[in-house]
Amino acid sequence: MDRKLLLYLSYDGRDFCGFQAQPDKPNVQMELNRAAEELFGFPCDVTGCSRTDSGVHAKMFCATVAKQGEPGLVTHVSPDRVPRAMCVRLPDSISVYNAMWVPADFHPRYDVVSKEYIYRILVSQQRDPFEIGRAWHFPFPLLSDGVARMDRAARHMIGTRDFSACMAAGSKIKDPTRHVMESGVTRDGDVVTFRIRADGFLYNMVRIIAGTLAVVGTGRIDPDSIPDLLDSLDRTRMGRTAPPEGLYLNRVFYDDSGIPGWHGGDGNG
């Protein structure tokens, strides 16, 4: 029976212009293709679960490996040996931490049930050298109840609706309806974390929501006005698009077919 290898990996997006292969630009897919060819001895097709933008990180990212031009992969390398064997062939900013066989018709992107993203905001007048490129440095003070306001605003995102107001201008997506299952904001010291899980995301959707929540935290947007802003379908009524460095693909969920990722599975996010 034809089968593919499913990889679970994480990566620091600072070194890459996103996941997708691009000529003359560093990207995660190119590095995985190169490492897989070195390991298995022939060119491979590596397919990812998502396209991440330049500078965006992943704590849990899924990708399949098949022999180039074929539906599956035949190899004597066992899945339990693959993570280490891939890691020694990859740059330090990418780590494969799990691998397993899946059917040849499994697709890491189209079979996704939902994804969870987090967005990290460093709220401090001073920069933190250990957070540069890993969080959005937001030097403006939040209200004393700013995080609670942000959390209330985030919870208004839960449900099924047209999220056109949270879609980048010029996007060619025809159906902007998405179902958000979870959305909330927490704080740990100077870092505020926005977490959202949905069945799909529009282009820049999480970053637009994060930028809007930051404005809510400063008091310039009422958290309970969010439903009206969303119903307007008007991008200009939302906040700025937050920069990419605070964004992480945190978890990927598949169905209950036994593939890790369902209800968190073997993810490290």
Side-chain angles (χ1 to χ4, degrees):
M1 181 181 68
D2 288 329
R3 56 186 183 175
K4 299 174 182 175
L5 198 62
L6 176 65
L7 306 179
Y8 282 77
L9 58 138
S10 56
Y11 56 84
D12 184 335
R14 292 178 299 173
D15 291 343
F16 305 106
C17 295
F19 173 81
Q20 196 77 6
Q22 305 174 63
D24 304 319
K25 291 184 179 181
N27 59 82
V28 178
Q29 189 176 36
M30 176 187 68
E31 294 291 351
L32 291 172
N33 277 323
R34 180 190 52 75
E37 181 173 357
E38 288 183 10
L39 174 58
F40 299 116
F42 44 76
C44 294
D45 289 323
V46 176
T47 304
C49 66
S50 181
R51 295 182 180 184
T52 55
D53 288 339
S54 180
V56 173
H57 315 287
K59 290 192 171 184
M60 175 183 178
F61 190 97
C62 296
T64 54
V65 182
K67 186 175 182 180
Q68 191 174 87
E70 297 188 9
L73 176 72
V74 177
T75 177
H76 295 298
V77 181
S78 62
D80 61 319
R81 292 178 53 205
V82 168
R84 174 62 180 164
M86 287 289 287
C87 281
V88 298
R89 293 169 169 83
L90 289 167
D92 291 344
S93 48
I94 305 175
S95 175
V96 174
Y97 60 87
N98 193 15
M100 63 179 294
W101 291 116
V102 293
D105 62 356
F106 173 82
H107 197 287
R109 181 178 178 188
Y110 300 132
D111 288 341
V112 168
V113 174
S114 63
K115 298 175 187 174
E116 179 184 79
Y117 282 90
I118 61 172
Y119 193 94
R120 302 177 70 249
I121 306 172
L122 175 67
V123 182
S124 172
Q125 291 186 346
Q126 291 77 38
R127 65 178 180 269
D128 182 339
F130 297 104
E131 293 288 358
I132 293 173
R134 294 191 175 99
W136 175 22
H137 181 205
F138 191 76
F140 309 103
L142 302 181
L143 298 176
S144 59
D145 63 343
V147 174
R149 289 168 61 91
M150 293 170 70
D151 183 58
R152 190 159 79 248
R155 293 179 187 280
H156 283 303
M157 303 290 170
I158 297 174
T160 302
R161 65 165 67 239
D162 183 329
F163 279 94
S164 291
C166 302
M167 182 170 62
S171 177
K172 297 180 180 179
I173 294 175
K174 295 181 179 179
D175 182 8
T177 301
R178 296 293 184 269
H179 175 58
V180 174
M181 300 93 162
E182 300 172 13
S183 180
V185 176
T186 57
R187 183 168 190 165
D188 183 8
D190 289 335
V191 176
V192 173
T193 301
F194 164 50
R195 184 182 303 267
I196 184 169
R197 177 181 172 189
D199 62 355
F201 293 89
L202 306 174
Y203 185 54
N204 281 352
M205 178 174 165
V206 180
R207 290 167 57 189
I208 291 169
I209 296 174
T212 303
L213 295 178
V215 178
V216 169
T218 65
R220 288 182 286 157
I221 293 180
D222 186 328
D224 295 322
S225 71
I226 293 297
D228 289 338
L229 299 183
L230 295 175
D231 288 343
S232 75
L233 309 183
D234 185 353
R235 168 67 188 93
T236 65
R237 296 189 62 187
M238 302 294 285
R240 63 166 289 187
T241 302
E245 60 264 26
L247 183 60
Y248 297 72
L249 176 57
N250 195 50
R251 289 191 294 176
V252 182
F253 297 84
Y254 294 106
D255 63 18
D256 58 356
S257 64
I259 297 170
W262 176 247
H263 293 164
D266 287 347
N268 69 347

